[in-house]
Amino acid sequence: MKSYVIRFTPKQRIEHVSVMTLFLVLALTGLPQKFFEASWAQGIISLLGGIDRVRWIHRLAGILFTLFTAAHLGVISALVVTGRAAMSLVPNRQDFLDAIQQISYYLGMSDAPAKFDKFDYKQKFEYWGLVLGAVIVISTGLVLLFPILATRFLPGEIVPAAKLAHGNEGL
């Protein structure tokens, strides 16, 4: 009989699949908008029913992605505050020591690789990169979705800056 380590609950697996699906939809609809002059982008836009439909799908997927991200961060925060979850994805001193140990092992300067907890330093780095990237695309996406509202509170230059940041972070 094989032994398995269960890292994620069924709910967490559904959340991951949902976010990955939304990411693919956002990429499929966002990249052709960013590179609209390319023939492949025009082909995708035509295949999806035209630019208006592509923009509508992209915005709907963006709103769903925003809701999933807010729910994820809210649930994680509530679990940590109530003591039902540890802050196991927050980098700590041991992660830096593990990285040094692992690099030493890769370079042949150590006989043993680092031993990791539930999440290693690379997974923590990836998680926080995704969270911060999500914050950037969500906030800039909201500025692009509501430019008049955004410029009521922020300088007018925020819209072109948001467009640049949104496209580059999405890419």
Side-chain angles (χ1 to χ4, degrees):
M1 175 164 178
K2 292 185 180 184
S3 160
Y4 293 97
V5 174
I6 307 231
R7 180 168 287 203
F8 298 117
T9 66
K11 181 182 171 230
Q12 290 170 323
R13 287 183 220 147
I14 290 168
E15 179 183 4
H16 276 83
V17 169
S18 299
V19 170
M20 286 186 279
T21 302
L22 283 171
F23 174 82
L24 291 173
V25 170
L26 288 164
L28 182 66
T29 58
L31 289 173
Q33 292 182 72
K34 182 170 176 65
F35 300 107
F36 61 91
E37 292 180 349
S39 61
W40 63 266
Q42 293 171 10
I44 290 173
I45 290 169
S46 293
L47 186 67
L48 294 175
I51 192 63
D52 288 335
R53 181 168 290 159
V54 167
R55 287 180 177 159
W56 185 85
I57 293 168
H58 190 76
R59 289 172 182 161
L60 178 63
I63 290 166
L64 291 172
F65 181 78
T66 300
L67 294 174
F68 267 94
T69 301
H72 172 76
L73 295 176
V75 167
I76 293 297
S77 298
L79 290 173
V80 168
V81 167
T82 60
R84 295 185 348 204
M87 295 196 310
S88 58
L89 278 168
V90 175
N92 56 39
R93 183 177 185 274
Q94 187 60 46
D95 293 313
F96 293 99
L97 298 174
D98 289 344
I100 293 167
Q101 174 67 28
Q102 196 68 19
I103 291 169
S104 297
Y105 176 72
Y106 288 152
L107 295 174
M109 299 165 54
S110 172
D111 294 333
K115 296 190 191 251
F116 302 112
D117 209 2
K118 182 174 182 179
F119 301 106
D120 67 27
Y121 65 93
K122 294 177 282 188
Q123 292 165 321
K124 292 178 183 184
F125 180 79
E126 182 69 22
Y127 175 80
W128 285 104
L130 290 170
V131 168
L132 295 174
V135 168
I136 290 169
V137 294
I138 289 168
S139 60
T140 56
L142 289 171
V143 167
L144 296 173
L145 191 58
F146 303 109
I148 295 170
L149 181 63
T151 54
R152 260 194 214 161
F153 303 102
L154 301 167
E157 295 81 17
I158 192 67
V159 176
K163 184 176 182 181
L164 180 67
H166 189 79
N168 286 345
E169 181 62 32
L171 185 60

